[in-house]
Amino acid sequence: MERGKGMKILSIESSCDETAAAVVEDGRKVLSSVVASQVEEHRLYGGVVPEIASRRHAESVSSVVREALLQANLSLADIDAIAVTFAPGLIGALLVGVNFAKGLSLATGKPLVPVHHLRSHIAANYISHQDLKPPFLCLVVSGGHSHIVEVTDYTKMRVIGATRDDAAGEAFDKAARTMGMPYPGGIELDKVAEQGNDKAYVLPHPTVAGSVYDFSFSGLKTAVINLLHNAEQKGEEICKEDLCASFRRAVVECLTDNLFKAAEDLGVKTIVAAGGVSANRLLRRELERICGEKGYSLYVPELSLCGDNAAMVGAQGYYEFLSGNIAQTDLNAVATLPIDYR
Ligand code: KG4
Ligand code: ZN
């Protein structure tokens, strides 16, 4: 086939608790996207149990891939390349997708494209916004990562700021858990916060001395735990809606303060958000408000592409392929890998 024209990529994602497969054309057009979530099972344990995640991926990867081909009305012969999330994530979970993709690549002779999970979260925006092209500044906020990334090209990026402890999604989930909400509590906390007064409780806005773009969320989470314990000891009532709203406001302000400081310092006028936490209602409203005030362009993924899925892997996989990032059959999964690894 002519390189880069009508190129169909079959993509696989298994970095955490979603087994997903998709077919994406030229990095922008989703022909099919299938996500099998394990969240109900992990909820029983209050978080993702890595071994259970690996086992469920192993059980469902084959049928999820078959379903993605079926929904796209294609067979393996119609596919031009196979993209797979190889890092970062739960190692046992990643290995299932990587090995399955390697097997497919070996059996079909199609090129194997390794995709970095956070790069794929950013690429969800290429599907939601056909006009979006680098350069831009991206806030990548997921369950495991909180980064400010300068994306200079599709496969060229530089980390401007990162969390020193908990990720934003992790902070949301932990705070929600202390308030008795089921995993992953971030989603529920966001919903409950809509009914609350975000000025009711005064919470810290932790900063990192000497690193103006870095985040620190563990102190904020501890402040919520202390507040709940103190109230319990004194026999005082806590208004859950108000505490959720105050906590959400504090997290979002930490994120937006650093993001827009970086945008100003770097002179970047296009802002992008990515990752599970980019579904947060207040974050989306605040990004819109601030970008409107400053005259910046804003891109956020459609809600269905904020969380883990394989369509975003197919989108980034296309650009990785064009940049010559092709793996051999000795490709391994990597639990921790910086977004600017290459
Ligand atoms: O990107 P993602 O699906 O998986 C990782 O790569 O980690 O992100 C999952 C995280 C979870 O911590 C979840 O609670 C959080 O994103 N999240 C939210 C919302 N929706 C998902 N956090 C706050 N508000 C939301 N609406
Ligand atoms: Zn993710």
Side-chain angles (χ1 to χ4, degrees), residues 194-252:
E194 290 291 290
Q195 314 303 324
N197 168 12
D198 62 15
K199 295 185 181 60
Y201 296 100
V202 180
L203 293 169
H205 282 53
T207 52
V208 179
S211 303
V212 287
Y213 310 126
D214 283 350
F215 306 108
S216 168
F217 292 115
S218 73
L220 192 48
K221 170 198 68 192
T222 310
V224 170
I225 294 171
N226 290 343
L227 200 142
L228 286 166
H229 284 171
N230 286 342
E232 198 179 308
Q233 275 170 358
K234 291 182 192 155
E236 288 170 5
E237 277 282 322
I238 286 282
C239 174
K240 200 167 165 178
E241 289 80 3
D242 289 354
L243 186 53
C244 286
S246 303
F247 179 80
R248 182 179 69 166
R249 166 68 62 185
V251 173
V252 168

Side-chain angles (χ1 to χ4, degrees), residues 117 121 142-144 169-170 172-173 184 186-187 190 275-277 279-280 306-308:
H117 183 62
H121 269 302
S142 71
E170 193 180 355
F172 271 119
D173 292 343
I187 300 160
D190 185 26
V277 181
N280 187 269
C306 289
D308 291 345

Side-chain angles (χ1 to χ4, degrees), residues 34 75 107 114 132 134 156 161 163 173 183 230 299 301 332:
V34 179
S75 73
L132 177 64
K156 301 243 171 329
T163 184
D173 292 343
Y183 174 85
N230 286 342
Y299 298 87
N332 206 347

